[in-house]
């Protein structure tokens, strides 16, 4: 198989695995705080076994390490609110809300990167408003809290993504992922005395291991390899399919279509249409490897 064709298959497989994160989040019977803390701990523990990560951590300047640690707190809040959205609503709603992250990114990044605002990027934000309205109208009232928390998750994703882009050239992606997830896990652990902590057993423990290694580390490694052969635009378009995979999997595996109306799926089409149009409106940018390990939206 040619390297380019192999890379395309790899990135599609990665997106499929990422689509399972929402499904597993709904299936695992842990609260969001415990689930995210365990996931971060398992991934960080595995990365600390890699010698190059240890070497890079020791050599990293303290100020840069502090910056990545701060971003790790934002990552923790992003993951916590993402899984809280799924628990409060369902996997389809959580995946749809996280699809709003590129919209927030188009608005947040100019402020973080201190670059002029591009009016074309405002079109993306305006275009998704009808889609959000349709999504809200297509879900039962008890899921509204899940939508609100999911939108907050997308905002935090945009915040840490913008900050990571500013620091992308300064460290190894594996090391950055280890530092950010490790710091995020410690941050969440501080709240355990107040909110409690659940220890996974049996079926939940197996699914948690699958989430940490099969849907986080494995696609991270494959995506880093595929990035060598794909353009930024190609990666953007493929990874934008993640919410599509997640919603299809939620229908097939969880039967969530019974909970949602036609207006919800119409809203999803509007939101994803705007997200897919964004790479055509904006300039092509370099893929950010750090985001692959820390974000539930990987575009």
């Amino acid at each position: 198989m040619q390297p380019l064709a192999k890379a395309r298959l790899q990135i599609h497989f990665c997106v499929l695995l990422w689509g399972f994160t929402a499904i597993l989040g709904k299936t695992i019977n842990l609260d969001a705080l415990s689930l995210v803390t365990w996931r971060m701990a398992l991934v960080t523990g595995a990365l600390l076994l890699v010698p190059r990560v240890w070497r890079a951590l020791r050599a990293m300047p303290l100020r840069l390490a502090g910056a990545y640690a701060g971003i790790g707190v934002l990552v923790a809040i992003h993951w916590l609110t993402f899984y809280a959205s799924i628990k409060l609503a369902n996997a389809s709603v959580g995946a749809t809300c996280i699809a709003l992250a590129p919209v927030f990114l188009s608005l947040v990044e100019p402020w973080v990167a201190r670059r002029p605002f591009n009016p074309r990027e405002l079109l993306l934000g305006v275009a998704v408003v009808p889609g959000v309205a349709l999504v809200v109208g297509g879900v039962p009232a008890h899921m509204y809290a899940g939508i609100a928390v999911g939108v907050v998750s997308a905002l935090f994703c945009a915040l840490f993504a913008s900050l990571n882009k500013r620091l992308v050239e300064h460290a190894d992606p594996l090391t950055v992922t280890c530092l950010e997830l490790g710091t995020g896990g410690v941050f969440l652990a501080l709240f355990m005395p107040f909110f409690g902590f659940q220890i996974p057993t049996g079926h939940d423990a197996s699914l948690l291991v699958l989430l940490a290694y099969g849907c986080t580390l494995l696609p991270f490694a494959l995506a880093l390899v595929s990035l060598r052969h794909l353009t930024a635009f190609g990666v953007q378009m493929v990874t934008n399919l993640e919410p599509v995979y997640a919603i299809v999997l939620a229908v097939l595996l969880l039967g969530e279509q019974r909970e949602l109306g036609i207006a919800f799926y119409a809203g999803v089409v509007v939101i994803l249409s705007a997200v897919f149009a964004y790479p055509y409106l904006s300039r092509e940018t370099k893929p950010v490897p750090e985001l692959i390990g820390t974000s539930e939206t990987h575009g």
Side-chain angles (χ1 to χ4, degrees):
M1 184 179 294
Q2 295 296 320
L4 180 58
K6 185 177 181 180
R8 286 172 177 164
L9 286 176
Q10 285 175 332
I11 199 68
H12 273 285
F13 182 60
C14 290
V15 174
L16 176 63
L17 292 176
W18 287 325
F20 271 103
T21 59
I23 308 301
L24 292 172
K26 185 65 175 179
T27 307
I28 296 173
N29 295 310
L30 296 177
D31 61 74
L33 178 63
S34 300
L35 189 155
V36 175
T37 305
W38 276 109
R39 184 185 182 188
M40 287 185 157
L42 289 171
V43 175
T44 303
L47 290 175
L48 286 175
L49 299 177
V50 180
R52 88 185 216 200
V53 171
W54 272 106
R55 291 194 295 267
L57 283 174
R58 287 198 299 265
M60 186 178 292
L62 186 60
R63 184 174 180 180
L64 182 61
Y68 280 124
I71 296 173
V73 172
L74 298 180
V75 174
I77 298 173
H78 158 60
W79 275 11
L80 181 64
T81 49
F82 172 70
Y83 287 105
S85 172
I86 292 172
K87 300 291 186 181
L88 290 169
N90 60 27
S92 296
V93 169
T96 301
C97 290
I98 212 65
L100 294 171
V103 180
F104 286 119
L105 186 61
S106 69
L107 303 174
V108 169
E109 188 181 359
W111 169 64
V112 173
R114 299 188 180 94
R115 65 170 175 82
F117 179 76
N118 186 346
R120 291 181 298 176
E121 295 175 342
L122 181 61
L123 295 175
L124 179 64
V126 173
V128 302
V129 171
V132 173
L134 286 169
V135 164
V136 173
V139 304
H142 70 270
M143 292 188 181
Y144 289 171
I147 293 177
V149 174
V151 171
V152 172
S153 180
L155 174 60
F156 273 95
C157 181
L159 286 172
F160 85 75
S162 300
L163 292 169
N164 259 347
K165 284 186 177 183
R166 289 188 61 181
L167 303 174
V168 66
E169 302 292 345
H170 300 292
D172 170 69
L174 281 176
T175 305
V176 171
T177 299
C178 179
L179 181 55
E180 290 185 356
L181 296 190
T183 305
V186 171
F187 170 75
L188 292 181
L190 297 176
F191 295 91
M192 291 176 189
F194 306 99
F195 296 97
F197 185 64
Q198 296 176 310
I199 299 176
T201 58
H203 185 62
D204 284 337
S206 301
L207 293 179
L208 192 59
V209 170
L210 177 61
L211 175 63
Y213 300 134
C215 297
T216 307
L217 280 182
L218 175 59
F220 181 33
L222 287 176
L224 287 178
V225 173
S226 67
L227 285 176
R228 301 172 186 171
H229 304 286
L230 298 173
T231 65
F233 183 83
V235 172
Q236 178 87 40
M237 298 306 291
V238 174
T239 53
N240 279 344
L241 288 169
E242 182 186 346
V244 178
Y245 280 111
I247 291 171
V248 171
L249 288 170
V251 169
L252 295 176
L253 300 178
L254 303 178
E256 290 187 353
Q257 76 280 2
R258 295 189 293 270
E259 304 175 282
L260 305 169
I262 188 66
F264 170 83
Y265 293 102
V268 170
V269 171
V270 172
I271 293 171
L272 293 179
S273 296
V275 171
F276 275 97
Y278 179 58
Y280 292 98
L281 295 175
S282 62
R283 63 181 185 277
E284 185 170 314
T285 56
K286 181 179 179 180
V288 184
E290 287 82 349
L291 301 188
I292 297 172
T294 55
S295 175
E296 296 301 351
T297 179
H298 307 276

